[in-house]
Amino acid sequence: VSTTHLNRGRMTDFTSDSSRQANHYFITMGKSYKGGQTIVNPVLLIKSAKNAPPSLDLGLNFRIKERWWLGFSFRSSYGVVVLSQYHINERLRLGYAYDHGTNGIGRAGGGSHEVLFGYDINISGSKISMPRYL
């Protein structure tokens, strides 16, 4: 469970009108299941904000042979997402995601592409095991 804009900061535009940021609430749930060399990770994300309808994301990710992530998700108020990520070595990874909107705004925008380049800097020299990926 998490939230943003705890101080409800003031926003001001060039016409001197001002308003306050609304709190956004997030509930994230997931579980990993290991079968052979594949980890299956179903996820659920519930999002809510004042004066906006709640939104639900349902996803399913697969981690294959500790190197390859493949996944997809459905966003209740938007559309679908497909993603992939490859761990080139222990520190370097490359990924891609595509969002395709099925609502009016999403269809007009034609979807969006995201490219990820990640490098893990191991300053302390120790390896940390993340229980959520077991």
Side-chain angles (χ1 to χ4, degrees):
V1 176
S2 62
T3 186
T4 62
H5 309 302
L6 292 175
N7 66 347
R8 298 200 59 235
R10 188 175 295 277
M11 298 185 304
T12 306
D13 62 15
F14 295 109
T15 62
S16 332
D17 294 337
S18 63
S19 61
R20 294 205 171 266
Q21 294 173 316
N23 296 105
H24 290 69
Y25 302 97
F26 303 92
I27 300 173
T28 306
M29 294 175 262
K31 175 73 174 139
S32 293
Y33 301 94
K34 188 169 186 172
Q37 293 189 22
T38 303
I39 297 171
V40 179
N41 181 229
V43 293
L44 170 70
L45 172 63
I46 302 168
K47 301 179 277 188
S48 178
K50 186 177 179 180
N51 298 325
S55 175
L56 178 71
D57 291 15
L58 294 171
L60 190 60
N61 298 309
F62 301 89
R63 186 169 182 184
I64 304 163
K65 296 184 178 181
E66 298 291 323
R67 288 215 179 255
W68 194 261
W69 277 104
L70 298 172
F72 63 91
S73 66
F74 168 76
R75 293 183 178 162
S76 64
S77 59
Y78 176 72
V80 295
V81 178
V82 293
L83 62 97
S84 178
Q85 180 174 271
Y86 184 72
H87 289 250
I88 297 167
N89 59 39
E90 198 169 301
R91 294 185 182 208
L92 185 63
R93 63 190 187 282
L94 184 63
Y96 172 77
Y98 176 71
D99 291 17
H100 179 73
T102 56
N103 64 7
I105 293 173
R107 285 191 306 271
S112 67
H113 303 271
E114 178 180 336
V115 175
L116 164 89
F117 175 77
Y119 185 79
D120 294 328
I121 300 171
N122 189 351
I123 296 172
S124 66
S126 62
K127 187 174 182 177
I128 298 172
S129 179
M130 298 299 287
R132 75 189 253 186
Y133 298 122
L134 296 178

